[in-house]
Amino acid sequence: EYNREIAMRITSNVYNQNRFYTDLNGYQIQSRQTMSKLPLQANVYPMTTMIYIQDDSIRLTLLSAQSLGVASLKNGQLEVFMDRRLMQDDNRGLGQGIQDNKITANLFRLL
């Protein structure tokens, strides 16, 4: 078996210039910037309840009922990383692969 990650990508016409915003604790908003020189995992940030991208005329907001990892890897895109399955330890402290088979319900609102 292989390592797998389930992600959702939303594509729009918003020209966000590699900048997006996530909430820190449901109250404070943090500006984030995608760094093309860094690997994918360095451009993924935690989202407590919300991520949005915007330009001069429009804002695209995604609300979530659960905390997830998010990114905006290209202009006009939102990526939400919803689940992962690893066959080996990722050396992050767990000491084993991630192989639980529990179904996880995700709830989103797109504004």
Side-chain angles (χ1 to χ4, degrees):
E1 251 192 78
Y2 299 101
N3 294 335
R4 302 200 187 278
E5 295 196 35
I6 298 174
M8 173 177 62
R9 176 177 291 149
I10 299 170
T11 304
S12 70
N13 293 327
V14 177
Y15 185 67
N16 58 311
Q17 300 177 352
N18 293 326
R19 186 167 299 281
F20 62 102
Y21 302 85
T22 62
D23 67 318
L24 295 174
N25 54 13
Y27 297 107
Q28 297 172 318
I29 303 298
Q30 177 70 44
S31 175
R32 312 287 191 179
Q33 186 163 358
T34 302
M35 306 287 188
S36 59
K37 293 181 180 181
L38 297 177
L40 170 67
Q41 55 270 38
N43 285 304
V44 176
Y45 295 92
M47 166 189 71
T48 306
T49 59
M50 177 184 74
I51 179 175
Y52 70 86
I53 55 174
Q54 67 182 8
D55 60 20
D56 293 336
S57 61
I58 194 166
R59 176 182 287 182
L60 177 66
T61 304
L62 181 70
L63 302 175
S64 175
Q66 59 283 328
S67 298
L68 297 166
V70 293
S72 178
L73 301 176
K74 293 184 180 177
N75 277 316
Q77 289 185 349
L78 296 174
E79 286 85 9
V80 181
F81 298 91
M82 297 186 290
D83 203 358
R84 69 191 309 204
R85 183 179 178 107
L86 301 175
M87 297 297 114
Q88 74 283 340
D89 183 30
D90 63 358
N91 296 319
R92 303 271 185 213
L94 189 58
Q96 62 187 16
I98 303 169
Q99 298 183 24
D100 65 7
N101 293 322
K102 303 221 187 304
I103 296 173
T104 305
N106 292 304
L107 179 63
F108 299 102
R109 296 278 189 253
L110 189 60
L111 307 173

